[in-house]
Amino acid sequence: MLINPAVIALIAASFLVGVFTLYACGVGLRIIWQWDLDSAGEDQLQLERKTYLVSSILSHVLAIELVSLFLFIAVVNHLHTFFTGAMCAAGVLNVNPYGHLTLAARTASFLCCGVWLVVNHVDGRAHDFPLIRFKYVCLLGIGLLLVVEGILQVRFLAGLDPQILTSCCGTIFGEGSRGVAAGVAHLPAPVAAGNFYFAMC
């Protein structure tokens, strides 16, 4: 399944995002330990130049990560035609144990990257970079999350075997089904609506 062009594009995007983010994490470690805005030394000037460069790169790279969540969903939904029993993305994610883990990791990284971009924007508008250490500490966690996400995604995509008979949506979300997905699908309408609006706030 890895020879599918959409799958290759998805893996390539994750690889590039991961490489640039890990590079930024390396710069971030130096900034966490050595940043001193009161210093006029050469090391501080180099860190200031690098933080501008890294912030600019990450603004684009993490934006790609945000978009790639929707690309992942679109690719998985497209792949359902290769699997007997799958009628949509839900069936493909159920092909192996890494499907839902990958989706969860991608959703978590989507939220974390979005928050980081907001923090970075706020920090860049201040003249004294008040959030610089905080945002790079957070970036270390995002870098680790992106590595885990990349590994899970490769394991999921590499384990897609068209010979596997997977479950359709009716089986996953059916009345007699067990699991988190079935439990969420059978919540009473007022509870589901309340959770939806709470999550959107």
Side-chain angles (χ1 to χ4, degrees), residues 34-45 48:
Q34 300 177 10
W35 183 265
D36 182 9
L37 198 59
D38 296 328
S39 172
E42 184 177 350
D43 289 343
Q44 176 63 22
L45 292 176
E48 289 179 17

Side-chain angles (χ1 to χ4, degrees), residues 13-28:
S14 294
F15 177 76
L16 290 176
V17 168
V19 167
F20 280 113
T21 305
L22 290 178
Y23 168 76
C25 287
V27 175

Side-chain angles (χ1 to χ4, degrees), residues 21 24 56 68 93 95 103 132 139-140 170 179:
T21 305
S56 178
S68 68
L93 290 173
V95 169
L103 180 60
I132 192 162
L139 185 64
L140 297 179

Side-chain angles (χ1 to χ4, degrees), residues 70-104:
F70 302 101
L71 176 63
F72 174 77
I73 295 171
V75 169
V76 172
N77 188 58
H78 170 72
L79 293 177
H80 82 273
T81 57
F82 293 94
F83 298 94
T84 303
M87 294 184 292
C88 63
V92 179
L93 290 173
N94 208 39
V95 169
N96 63 50
Y98 299 101
H100 292 286
L101 291 176
T102 304
L103 180 60

